[in-house]
Amino acid sequence: MSLTRAERTIVVSMWSKISTQADVIGTETLERLFSCYPQAKTYFPHFDLHSGSAQLRAHGSKVVAAVGDAVKSIDNVASALSKLSELHAYVLRVDPVNFKFLSHCLLVTLASHFPADFTADAHAAWDKFLSLVSGVLTEKYR
Amino acid sequence: MVHFTTEEKAAVASLWAKVNVEVVGGESLARLLIVYPWTQRFFDSFGNLCSESAIMGNPKVKAHGSKVLNSFGNAIKHMDDLKGTFADLSELHCDKLHVDPENFRLLGNMILIVLATHFSKEFTPQMQAAWQKLTNAVANALAHKYH
């Protein structure tokens, strides 16, 4: 599965809007993840996950920055996220199902912040893109 | 059995009161068919599903989406007995319609995303959590009679 030219254009152009609110988007995505899928909290026993926590904000920023790296190298996401892929495979070992939950929460956050931009076509492009990113992050698992 | 707290029931009900069932239902089904095109396999009789605009404008998609979301309205009235409420529909989806239950989860997520576009800031993480629980529970109820 790879993105069409049209899909890449959509993702890249929406990213320019998203990046201006990257931290807010990142934090909110994680808040949604932990509210809707509390089992995801098992990967963060060392974090204060309350709303407004500095750790939540910092981690949200990290996650969105990584998405940004993927967008900037949208023609070769595997190469851009290679180190992160190894980290997830050998150190973090987050169960792959959680990438779907996180992707869904990011989509809901985007839909909520950019309703006019988040058309069905944009939604489809981003769903596919995040699925691709998730695939890269889990490709070294076994 | 899923248990909804008083707060969750109140959150769901308060948003539901403002939902335009026809619009949200139609859009949710349309997004399912656009974002996950393989789901079109169930709708050969629906006519033109060639493009985003064709699907969004398709009257059969709107009508069916509306029908599906109306049944959610029924779910909201019976949040303490979703399995009972959806027993007949579950059998129908298994025996007659042959729909993989994974599709119920996908559609549930589409509904949430459409609600997010319509209600924006009001669709807080807590609101999403209550609705996520509902859509998951409805999906499970619809899958419950599968054999």
Side-chain angles (χ1 to χ4, degrees), chain A residues 32 37 104 112 118 123 127, chain B residues 31 36 120 123 128 132:
Chain A
R32 289 182 184 278
Y37 305 101
H104 170 61
S112 160
F118 206 67
H123 174 176
D127 188 296
Chain B
R31 283 187 186 241
Y36 308 110
S120 211
F123 200 64
Q128 181 190 346
Q132 192 79 61

Side-chain angles (χ1 to χ4, degrees), chain A residues 28 31-32 35-37 100 104-105 107-108 111-113 115 118-124 127, chain B residues 31 34-36 52 56 102 109-110 112-113 116-117 120-121 123-126 128-129 132 136:
Chain A
E28 193 181 310
E31 279 179 0
R32 289 182 184 278
S35 295
C36 298
Y37 305 101
K100 281 197 178 175
H104 170 61
C105 289
L107 293 178
V108 172
S112 160
H113 281 257
F118 206 67
T119 60
D121 275 349
H123 174 176
D127 188 296
Chain B
R31 283 187 186 241
I34 291 163
V35 178
Y36 308 110
E52 188 222 14
M56 294 292 291
E102 179 60 20
N109 283 347
M110 296 299 99
L112 294 176
I113 286 176
T117 62
S120 211
K121 295 280 173 316
F123 200 64
T124 61
Q126 294 69 31
Q128 181 190 346
Q132 192 79 61
N136 289 349

Side-chain angles (χ1 to χ4, degrees), chain B residues 99-146:
Chain B
V99 177
D100 179 340
E102 179 60 20
N103 292 285
F104 308 142
R105 282 161 208 114
L106 293 179
L107 181 60
N109 283 347
M110 296 299 99
I111 292 171
L112 294 176
I113 286 176
V114 172
L115 289 177
T117 62
H118 282 256
F119 293 102
S120 211
K121 295 280 173 316
E122 208 181 328
F123 200 64
T124 61
Q126 294 69 31
M127 183 63 84
Q128 181 190 346
W131 274 87
Q132 192 79 61
K133 203 167 158 180
L134 176 65
T135 55
N136 289 349
V138 169
N140 287 339
L142 278 170
H144 187 66
K145 291 282 191 180
Y146 272 56

